[in-house]
């Protein structure tokens, strides 16, 4: 039974028949409807609810003055009279019908109108609607500014909305260009058939307004604008359908204020002003227009400018007739003026940014009146007025406090100190509230002024998210600030659905969960649906809010009608429409079973729910065709089943469940819901004593049938769940026969399920295998070159490789460390990339005049709200006995925010903040061995150095520059005078003022693509021979063949050409044979070039040739791209063995990544001649090979614990120990989220225990941490004896039990013998 058949002519109540009855459990007697207590609503809801329904409804407190004002009374009364007239006419037309049948008739009218609207609403769901209104963010509608009109939504249904602006008869205006004139005609034509096209309304109004302003710039009279009637008509048409918006309201009011001449026109402008501020209660701009216009009217009415010397009129109104002047004197009173300013100040009280624009003039008016007629009561009221303001956070609190101070000194001077001290103490919490929000207010204002909508959108959301999460128990949460923040955000993004939903949900939470009684939610959701009429979520909240406020049911029906009749919901999709229907049908069901409901209420609910289901089906089929199968969650059907269940109509409810099986039968959740309903029905029927609708049943057979039917489904998504429930259900409720029957079905179902799962697993396995094979083939193609290189590398083995017990383990560690090294390299590259983007100089501030006892943590807490702090340094100011702080923020914006604290109080002292730009010097080309002390001594004469930053060598060990930060910019200017100075070492020093923005992009052979990588190179080829081969393809600038420490080629090379084209041409040599091996040639990249985080220095006078290096040393040298000597082997050292090389090699651990290999070499050479120094920043250390074993031992003792830079001490271990370490990690940013947590250390050091290198002549490691000489083989003993000529193998072997003192004495004797 649908609503049309219910109300067809033969069944119409007017023909004397009654609606067909439905099978119910019992007949309900009509009950007299009890009066419902109306909730508190605002004047915006007075037009929404007929006066007879809410005769006792009070006006909300914020707008009481508006209702009492004579200017507002007329407009409100006219709306109320209009609503009442419509209501009376409807009642008289249906006098023979009962109230319930009236509702059915209204529903039928709505339904027929809705179908007709959608049938002709092709334009309503046009491309414009879909493209511009379906989005949920503010950027979806370009140029939208404003909020919702204060009149109720029900005033503007599709049936009673005024028609849009008619197309102009003639379009002749010099104020518009030809293109604008054509656009006006197009918009008017389109709106004549599509009155809900939002953007067309906005564009039309803006075009006509722009023409009006152009007309005024021609010094023409405002009323002579030819298109003025069309502009007014366009504005009224948009106001009837949508929210006008703040900016459009401002244009509207300013235009009408220019046009008003007679007193009647001035009063009309006044009413328009009041309408605007009702719709935008948080807009200070609109309140100022309204208040200033009222002031101008009052000035014109009194003809006494001295009477309003506290506020300057904005308009000079004159030319009134005597009658107008008399009326003005009666209406435009002083009380009216004060009421308007008071309402404006009250409505914007919690706007911290602009509330003073209204409160200050209002206060001046009150002070003027008090001065004219002072009284003790007036003084007390004024004092309370000031104290209320001082307890409200706002930007001009200091000025307000000064005004209050002047007031108290004038009127209560005898109690001045007591009053001011008490108020100052009371306002401490208010000032704290403002200080915590000051940074965000600055960011909000900056984003508004910047004009970047995305930045503003992000700033607004971050501000709101922070505000709503403030701690309520600590009184950090302020409801009024959150409320006004939402309203401010909606002024900027009025069509942001997500923002409106957040605002509505926030107010709902405060009302329902936190029991706030001063929230009027209904006008807010009304405004939200005017702004976002395509949002089903907002419409559903509107319906629920109306039900909760006990709004009369006919008015709730009109809200639903408004939501579904315009076609705008279609733009959001079926999901949006469904949300409205779900809320509506839920209201119908709940209303039907209230204590005071009648049988007619039941009829209304059934008809409404079924009509909603049918309407959704029609809409779905119209949009999706035959593929539409209803809501996946079948929410409307479940509401209908719930309605039937409450009515006792079990049979119809069961049939409804069965009707859903064909579409929802593959979901186990559907069967569970169906089963639970059957169990509920069985319980109600079986245990109800008065039931007559069905016989009692000892077993829930219908529920069993449901479970068995669900288990039979072959495509059920989760059959295991139903199988388990069926088994338990039968055991609990059924007899033996049914249990056995179910057991057979369960057994078969499990077998079928096992086969089904097995088949699915096989298919998944085959699919995975196919995909894996495809990936393998792709990988083979991509890595064919790398495989050949790996094969060539694996062939490089030495003939005399020593066999050691840890060789295999070392080789495995080598592979693992190689992988870790690559990961660390990537990390280093990322660090370097992030550092390039940093703007230290412009993101740094210098804070002066801090107290002497200031700590770093206190400074960090003070600036934590400004942004992320990267670094913070404190320095003493010897002259002023204060502390200076140099703070680097993560961005320039954060540093600008921090500068807003200039001249503010810090622990009782006024601090000075200045920019840090221009105080940093960039220096380079200094000696490689220069350390921080050298830099301070060289540049210290220019001024006080605050910080020295050396670059990390992780990504590139060849970097040699530094940043020197001085205390002031003038000191940096003195320092750059050293630019070009020739040092004693021959280096020409470079010193410039740091300018990060002037950095140039990196340019080298690899990045320019003019370097080729040659793999599988013959071992005997030389750089000269390789250059000769490649020179026929172009100019070869450089040829480099990396070698091992022994001087042997690594089997690959790099050839650099003069340009990219020549390098591409050289690829012709790929897969060609050179001597005994086939070369592989390709363009070099950073991976093949090898990381530049390793620097190897080989001393030419002390080089060695090792036939078989030790595994640890080989592991350290197994990286490509290192600069090494190509000195051929010498016969004198051909007998060196890996154990000896290992014995005279030490590893330095915990080496900072800012220390280069030159400094390591200079440090180690003081203990003896070196063979090799390998800097390993990827492992936070270095490998040093000495020429003599004794020197290695002395260095191990001397360098262990050496402070290489302030606060960093070296440790000495083996190469294996070094390879276990990871690269140094730094934390660039100071934590500001939690003041209680400990500061993050600058460097993370390894926790691996440090072991001293093994020395010749020891058995192993002693106890108690002492270093004992390791055992030595005969060959090693011979080598030692040959070199030193002192000890024989036996003597050295016996030395294993000696102490460190004996060991030092031995080294001393060796040195003396040498």
């Amino acid at each position: 039974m649908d609503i049309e058949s219910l109300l067809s002519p033969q069944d119409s109540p007017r023909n004397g028949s009654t609606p067909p009855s439905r099978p119910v459990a019992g007949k309900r007697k009509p009950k007299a409807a009890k009066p419902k207590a109306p909730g508190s609503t605002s004047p915006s809801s007075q037009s929404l609810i007929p006066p007879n329904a809410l005769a006792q409804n009070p006006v909300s407190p914020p707008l009481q003055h508006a209702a009492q004002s004579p200017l507002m009374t007329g407009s409100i009364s006219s709306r109320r009279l209009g609503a009442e007239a419509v209501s009376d006419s409807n009642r008289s037309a249906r006098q023979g019908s009962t109230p319930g049948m009236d509702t059915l008739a209204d529903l039928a009218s709505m339904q027929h109108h809705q179908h007709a609207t959608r049938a002709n609403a092709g334009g309503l769901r046009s491309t414009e609607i879909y493209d511009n209104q379906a989005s949920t963010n503010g950027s979806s509608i370009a140029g939208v500014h404003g909020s919702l009109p204060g009149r109720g939504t029900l005033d503007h249904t599709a049936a009673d909305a005024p028609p849009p602006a008619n197309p102009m008869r003639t379009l002749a205006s010099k104020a518009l260009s030809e293109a604008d004139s054509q656009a006006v005609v197009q918009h008017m034509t389109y709106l004549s058939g599509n009155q809900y096209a939002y953007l067309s309304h906005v564009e039309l109004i803006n075009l006509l307004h722009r023409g009006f302003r152009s007309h005024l710039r021609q010094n023409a009279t405002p009323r002579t604008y030819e298109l003025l009637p069309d502009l007014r008509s366009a504005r009224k048409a948009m106001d009837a359908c949508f929210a006008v918006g703040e900016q459009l309201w401002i244009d509207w009011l300013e235009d009408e204020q220019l046009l008003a001449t007679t007193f009647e026109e001035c009063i009309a402008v006044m009413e328009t002003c009041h309408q605007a501020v009702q719709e935008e209660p948080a807009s200070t701009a609109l309140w100022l227009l309204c208040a200033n216009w009222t002031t101008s009217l009052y000035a014109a009415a009194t003809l006494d400018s001295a009477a309003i010397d506290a506020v300057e009129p904005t308009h000079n109104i004159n030319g009134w007739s005597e009658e107008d002047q008399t009326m003005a004197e009666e209406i435009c009173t002083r009380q009216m003026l004060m009421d308007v300013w008071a309402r404006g100040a009250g409505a914007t009280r919690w706007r911290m940014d602009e509330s003073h624009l209204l409160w200050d003039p209002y206060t001046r008016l009150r002070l003027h009146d008090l001065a004219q007629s002072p009284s003790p009561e007036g003084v007390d009221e004024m004092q309370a007025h000031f104290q209320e303001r001082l307890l409200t956070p706002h930007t001009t609190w200091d000025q307000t406090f000064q005004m209050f101070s002047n007031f108290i000194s004038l009127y209560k001077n005898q109690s001045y100190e007591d009053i001011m001290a008490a108020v100052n103490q009371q306002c401490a919490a208010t000032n704290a509230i403002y200080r915590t929000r000051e940074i965000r207010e600055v960011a909000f204002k900056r984003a508004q002024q910047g004009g970047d909508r995305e930045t503003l959108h992000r700033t607004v959301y971050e501000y709101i998210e922070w505000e709503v999460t403030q701690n309520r128990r600590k009184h950090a949460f302020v409801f009024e600030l959150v409320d006004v923040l939402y309203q401010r955000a909606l002024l900027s993004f009025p069509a942001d659905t997500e923002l409106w939903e957040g605002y509505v949900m926030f107010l709902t939470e405060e009302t329902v969960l936190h029991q706030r009684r001063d929230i009027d939610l209904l006008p807010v959701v009304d405004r939200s649906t005017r702004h976002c009429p395509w949002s089903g979520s907002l419409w559903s909240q509107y319906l629920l809010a109306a039900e909760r406020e006990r709004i009369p049911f006919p008015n709730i029906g009109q809200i639903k009608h408004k939501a579904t009749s315009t076609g705008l919901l279609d733009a959001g999709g079926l999901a949006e429409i469904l949300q409205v229907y779900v809320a509506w049908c839920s209201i119908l069901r709940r209303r039907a079973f209230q204590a005071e409901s009648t049988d007619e209420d039941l009829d209304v609910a059934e008809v409404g729910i079924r009509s909603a289901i049918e309407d959704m089906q029609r809409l779905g089929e119209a949009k999706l065709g035959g593929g539409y199968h209803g809501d996946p969650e079948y929410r409307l059907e479940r509401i209908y089943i719930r309605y039937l269940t409450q009515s006792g109509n079990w049979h119809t409810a069961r049939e409804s469940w069965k009707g859903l099986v064909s579409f929802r039968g593959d979901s186990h959740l559907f069967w569970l819901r169906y089963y639970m309903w059957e169990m509920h029905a069985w319980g109600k029927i079986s245990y109800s004593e008065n039931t007559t609708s069905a016989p009692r049943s000892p077993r829930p057979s219908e529920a069993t049938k449901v479970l068995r039917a669900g288990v039979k489904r072959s495509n059920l998504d989760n059959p295991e769940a139903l199988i388990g429930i069926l088994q338990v259900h039968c055991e609990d409720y059924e007899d033996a026969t049914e249990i056995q029957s179910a057991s057979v079905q369960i057994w078969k179902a499990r077998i079928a399920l096992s086969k089904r799962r097995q088949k699915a697993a096989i298919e998944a396995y085959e699919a995975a295998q196919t995909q894996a094979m495809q990936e393998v083939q792709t990988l083979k193609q991509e890595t064919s070159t790398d495989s050949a290189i790996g094969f060539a590398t694996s062939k490089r083995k030495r003939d005399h490789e020593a066999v050691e017990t840890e060789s295999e383990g070392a080789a495995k560690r080598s592979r693992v460390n190689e992988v870790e090294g690559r990961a660390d390299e990537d990390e280093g590259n990322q660090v370097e990339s992030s550092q390039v983007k940093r703007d230290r100089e412009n993101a740094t501030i210098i804070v002066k005049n801090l107290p002497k006892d200031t700590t770093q943590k206190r400074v960090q807490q003070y600036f934590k709200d400004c942004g992320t702090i990267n670094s913070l340094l404190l320095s003493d100011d010897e002259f002023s006995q204060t502390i200076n702080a140099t703070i680097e923020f993560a961005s320039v914006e954060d540093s600008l925010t921090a500068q807003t604290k200039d001249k503010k109080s810090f622990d009782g002292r006024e601090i000075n903040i200045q920019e840090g730009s221009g105080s940093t010097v960039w220096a380079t080309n200094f000696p490689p061995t220069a350390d921080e002390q050298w830099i301070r001594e060289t540049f210290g004469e220019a001024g006080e150095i605050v910080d020295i930053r050396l670059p990390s060598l992780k990504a590139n060990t060849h970097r040699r520059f530094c940043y020197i930060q001085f205390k002031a910019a003038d000191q940096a200017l003195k320092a750059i005078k050293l630019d070009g100075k020739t040092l004693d070492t021959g280096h020409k020093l470079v010193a410039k003022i740091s300018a990060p923005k002037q950095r140039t992009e990196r340019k080298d052979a690899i990045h320019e693509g003019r370097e080729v990588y040659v793999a599988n190179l013959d071992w005997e080829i030389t750089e000269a021979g390789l250059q000769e081969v490649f020179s026929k393809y172009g100019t070869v600038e450089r040829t480099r063949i990396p070698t091992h420490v022994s001087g042997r080629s690594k089997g690959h090379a790099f050839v650099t050409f003069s340009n990219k084209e020549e390098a591409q041409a050289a690829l012709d040599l790929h897969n060609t044979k050179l001597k005994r091996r086939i070369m592989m040639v390709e363009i070099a990249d950073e991976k093949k070039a090898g990381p530049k985080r390793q620097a190897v220095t080989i001393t030419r006078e002390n080089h060695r040739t090792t036939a078989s290096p030790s595994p640890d040393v080989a592991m350290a040298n197994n990286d490509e791209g290192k600069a090494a000597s190509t000195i051929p082997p010498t016969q004198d050292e051909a007998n060196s063995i890996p154990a000896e090389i290992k014995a005279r090699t030490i590893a330095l651990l915990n080496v900072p990544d800012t220390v280069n290999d030159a400094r390591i070499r200079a440090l180690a050479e003081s203990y003896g001649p070196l063979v090799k120094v390998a800097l390993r920043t990827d492992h936070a250390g270095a490998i040093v090979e000495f020429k003599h074993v004794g020197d290695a031992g002395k260095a191990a003792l001397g360098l262990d614990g050496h402070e290489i830079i302030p606060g960093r001490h070296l440790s000495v271990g083996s190469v294996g120990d070094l390879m276990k370490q990871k690269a140094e990690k730094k934390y660039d940013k100071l934590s500001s989220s939690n003041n209680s947590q400990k500061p993050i250390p600058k460097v993370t050091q390894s926790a691996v225990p440090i072991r001293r290198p093994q020395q010749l002549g020891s058995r192993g490691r002693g106890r108690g941490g002492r270093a004992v000489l390791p055992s030595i083989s005969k060959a090693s003993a011979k080598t030692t004896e040959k070199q030193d000529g002192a000890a024989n193998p036996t003597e050295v072997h016996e030395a294993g039990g000696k102490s460190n003192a004996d060991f030092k004495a031995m080294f001393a004797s060796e040195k003396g013998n040498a």
Side-chain angles (χ1 to χ4, degrees), residues 9 118 148 175 207 309 627 636 714 745 751 817 844 1084 1128 1217 1241 1299 1308:
R118 285 206 174 89
L148 176 75
L207 285 171
D309 57 355
L636 293 179
S714 59
Q745 182 181 4
I751 292 176
N817 290 330
T844 300
D1217 294 332
S1299 64

Side-chain angles (χ1 to χ4, degrees), residues 312-361:
E312 185 70 22
T314 56
H315 294 77
N316 185 16
I317 302 175
N318 50 38
W320 286 345
S321 63
E322 293 184 3
E323 183 180 358
D324 288 347
Q325 191 67 39
T326 302
M327 293 178 59
E329 291 176 359
E330 294 177 357
I331 297 176
C332 301
T333 63
R334 182 76 177 187
Q335 184 61 41
M336 183 201 72
L337 174 67
M338 298 299 293
D339 287 345
V340 172
W341 280 103
R343 291 177 54 226
T348 61
R349 172 188 173 185
W350 292 97
R351 282 202 59 167
M352 292 191 297
D353 58 333
E354 295 181 348
S355 58
H356 61 280
L357 298 178
L358 287 151
W359 189 89
D360 290 353

Side-chain angles (χ1 to χ4, degrees), residues 914-1191:
Q914 63 185 33
E915 297 180 2
S917 58
S919 61
T920 303
V921 173
W922 176 77
T924 186
N925 205 34
F926 42 78
T929 57
D931 55 5
E932 184 174 334
Q933 182 63 28
W934 184 93
I935 296 172
R936 287 188 180 274
E937 293 176 356
T938 304
F939 289 91
E941 297 180 358
E944 181 180 350
I945 296 177
V946 176
D947 186 28
I948 297 175
R949 300 192 303 271
L950 291 168
S952 172
L953 305 181
K954 252 194 236 184
N956 188 348
T957 56
H958 305 302
R959 305 170 81 186
R960 191 166 82 250
F961 60 86
C962 70
Y963 292 95
I964 310 168
Q965 185 171 351
F966 288 89
K967 188 175 180 180
D970 57 340
Q971 297 175 354
L973 293 176
K974 293 180 182 179
I976 63 175
K977 294 181 180 179
L978 295 175
D979 183 43
K981 178 182 179 181
T982 302
L983 305 174
D984 297 338
T985 57
H987 295 82
K988 192 174 183 179
L989 186 63
V990 176
K992 307 286 185 183
I993 296 295
S994 178
K997 295 183 180 180
Q998 298 179 5
R999 292 175 181 171
T1000 58
E1001 295 182 359
R1002 181 179 179 184
K1003 294 182 180 180
D1004 54 30
I1006 293 179
H1007 289 81
E1008 293 176 358
R1010 54 187 181 89
E1011 184 172 280
V1012 296
Y1013 171 69
V1014 184
N1016 209 33
L1017 190 65
D1018 190 270
W1019 309 109
E1020 298 180 358
I1021 193 69
T1022 62
E1023 292 182 351
L1026 190 64
Q1027 181 172 355
E1028 183 179 355
V1029 173
F1030 280 86
S1031 59
K1032 63 180 180 180
Y1033 294 97
T1035 303
V1036 178
E1037 294 183 349
R1038 184 189 179 198
T1039 303
R1040 180 168 62 92
I1041 301 178
T1043 62
H1044 295 289
V1045 178
S1046 62
R1048 187 179 181 185
S1049 169
K1050 289 188 175 182
H1052 62 270
F1054 298 90
V1055 181
T1056 304
F1057 289 89
S1058 60
N1059 56 58
K1060 181 179 180 180
E1061 291 73 19
E1062 295 173 351
Q1064 291 288 340
L1067 297 181
D1068 292 343
L1069 291 175
H1070 182 60
N1071 287 335
T1072 60
K1073 189 173 183 180
L1074 180 62
K1075 289 192 176 182
R1076 293 168 297 180
R1077 306 184 74 185
I1078 296 177
M1079 294 188 301
M1080 306 182 73
V1081 183
E1082 59 184 54
I1083 298 297
D1085 55 25
E1086 294 215 6
K1087 290 184 179 180
K1088 294 180 175 59
K1092 295 183 179 181
R1093 52 194 168 88
Q1094 303 171 21
V1096 178
T1097 302
I1098 299 176
T1099 57
R1100 184 171 298 272
E1101 64 276 9
N1102 297 317
H1103 79 279
R1104 60 152 172 93
T1105 301
T1106 306
S1108 179
S1110 68
D1112 285 346
V1113 176
M1115 177 171 54
N1117 298 329
N1118 197 28
D1119 296 277
E1120 299 172 349
K1122 296 182 294 183
S1125 172
T1126 58
I1127 303 173
T1130 62
Q1131 188 63 31
D1132 295 338
E1133 297 173 338
N1135 294 327
S1136 296
I1137 62 175
E1140 179 185 349
I1141 298 172
K1142 184 176 181 180
R1144 64 177 184 240
T1145 301
I1146 65 173
L1148 301 180
L1149 310 181
N1150 198 29
V1151 176
D1153 61 4
T1154 58
V1155 176
N1156 58 19
D1157 57 331
R1159 293 174 60 182
I1160 296 294
R1161 177 179 178 179
L1163 186 65
E1165 275 183 334
S1166 61
Y1167 295 93
L1170 306 179
V1171 174
K1172 180 196 69 174
V1173 175
L1175 181 65
R1176 296 302 300 263
T1177 57
D1178 54 341
H1179 293 284
I1183 302 172
V1184 181
E1185 181 182 346
F1186 288 85
K1187 186 175 182 180
H1188 304 297
V1189 176
D1191 296 337

Side-chain angles (χ1 to χ4, degrees), residues 261-301:
T261 55
T262 65
F263 180 70
E264 182 179 358
E265 292 173 342
C266 292
I267 292 299
V269 174
M270 191 66 190
E271 291 186 354
T272 307
C273 289
H274 282 287
Q275 178 186 342
V277 295
Q278 288 181 39
E279 296 172 356
E280 300 289 354
S283 173
T284 54
L286 292 177
W287 276 110
L288 279 174
L289 283 172
C290 180
N292 287 328
W293 181 252
T294 306
T295 304
S296 300
L297 291 180
Y298 177 72

Side-chain angles (χ1 to χ4, degrees), residues 433 436-437 440 461-470:
I433 290 174
T436 57
R437 291 160 176 80
R440 289 168 176 80
Y461 269 81
E462 291 176 353
Y463 194 176
I464 292 176
E465 183 180 2
W466 177 87
E467 192 74 76
V468 297
T469 56
Q470 293 304 293

